[in-house]
Amino acid sequence: MSAVAAPDLREVNRRFYDALWRDARLIQPQRFNTWSLVDELATGTPRRLEIAPGLRPRLPIAGTAFADISAPALRQLGAHGGHAVQAQADALPYADDSFDLLCAFDIIEHIEGDEAAMAELARVAAPGAVLLLSVPIHMAAWTVFDEFVGHHRRYEPEALLALLARHGFATQRSAAHGMQPESTRLLKLGMWFLTHQRQRAMWWYNHVFMRFALDTQAPLALQPGMIATDGVDTVLLVCRKAAAA
């Protein structure tokens, strides 16, 4: 299956996530199973950037730069001490070599021009910077959920590693990741409520489903290099940008 065509994927994403974050609660990064990894990497690293976190940031909020297209998310991130700007991943308003730790969770699959987005991440990353990246993998696993939330593609693991390498990032560690329900029936039910009864759906999402998902997260099991990806829906990669010659 090839990448999914859409007449204006950026606008689809903006409408969907503006509506989602307008009624959602900001969740502190300490609640996610990525926190021990993030805490290790962020300690003593003040130059941090997270791309399009919405209200689910993984990096420490205070002092971190956040670039997102969603105004409701940016308002809350700024109110909690983040340096929040409205910007797109393929046109970042930062100087070259500005950051030592970058994070892009479940983002580049939403962008038609993923080469441009990766080029921007590489441009603003200082030599030796760490990039935390997560993406859905295997186009054969495509579901209606991918289309509903504005995905442009899923990645084949070898193609993902090649994309990173073209922009100077080497993969050091990886792990299975993601909080998407496995039940297709549950996904369809959730999407129906988000479409037809958004306020009720958001109440359940904030007060029940998200809390349950956070409480039942499996520990992050990082392994060297790329993990075996059979049966994996989303992969998290710890990458490092090549140091200056």
Side-chain angles (χ1 to χ4, degrees):
M1 186 175 181
S2 62
V4 174
D8 191 350
L9 196 64
R10 218 183 294 268
E11 181 61 19
V12 169
N13 278 286
R14 188 195 63 76
R15 288 198 307 266
F16 179 85
Y17 287 100
D18 270 4
L20 180 65
W21 302 135
R22 191 173 294 116
D23 297 329
R25 296 176 175 176
L26 186 147
I27 295 178
Q28 294 290 333
Q30 292 85 350
R31 294 293 311 279
F32 294 98
N33 65 356
T34 49
W35 178 247
S36 59
L37 170 65
V38 166
D39 191 37
E40 165 200 331
L41 295 170
T43 300
T45 308
R47 301 198 308 166
R48 305 183 300 264
L49 169 66
E50 186 162 359
I51 303 295
L55 294 179
R56 308 291 180 257
R58 304 309 173 94
L59 297 187
I61 299 175
T64 295
F66 295 99
D68 203 302
I69 62 173
S70 172
L74 291 168
R75 282 194 293 272
Q76 290 203 47
L77 291 167
H80 285 78
H83 305 304
V85 299
Q86 192 163 40
Q88 298 169 168
D90 54 2
L92 296 172
Y94 306 108
D96 296 356
D97 303 340
S98 291
F99 300 102
D100 301 303
L101 176 59
L102 303 92
C103 183
F105 273 56
D106 305 323
I107 300 307
I108 63 171
E109 67 273 14
H110 292 265
I111 302 170
E112 185 173 1
D114 57 346
E115 291 281 359
M118 286 304 307
E120 277 292 86
L121 286 170
R123 181 184 65 79
V124 302
V130 172
L131 168 66
L132 302 181
L133 180 81
S134 72
V135 297
I137 55 176
H138 304 310
M139 282 300 292
W142 186 270
T143 71
V144 291
F145 177 80
D146 292 283
E147 183 174 354
F148 185 79
V149 299
H151 289 173
H152 186 72
R153 68 184 70 76
R154 284 173 168 264
Y155 285 88
E156 302 308 329
E158 289 186 3
L160 175 61
L161 294 177
L163 172 66
L164 288 160
R166 284 196 296 275
H167 296 280
F169 289 105
T171 299
Q172 297 184 321
R173 294 181 283 173
S174 63
H177 190 249
M179 301 172 71
Q180 176 180 323
E182 295 182 2
S183 168
T184 301
R185 180 175 296 180
L186 183 59
L187 284 173
K188 289 181 177 178
L189 180 63
M191 288 187 296
W192 186 92
F193 273 98
L194 278 170
T195 302
H196 296 89
Q197 297 187 25
R198 187 174 66 85
Q199 287 187 332
R200 179 179 294 183
M202 288 309 305
W203 189 94
W204 279 92
Y205 175 74
N206 284 318
H207 294 275
V208 180
F209 295 127
M210 193 65 198
R211 186 172 299 175
F212 175 78
L214 289 168
D215 289 343
T216 58
Q217 292 174 98
L220 195 63
L222 287 161
Q223 299 179 29
M226 174 63 92
I227 60 170
T229 61
D230 288 349
V232 175
D233 179 77
T234 302
V235 65
L236 180 152
L237 304 176
V238 183
C239 309
R240 189 174 292 275
K241 184 182 175 183

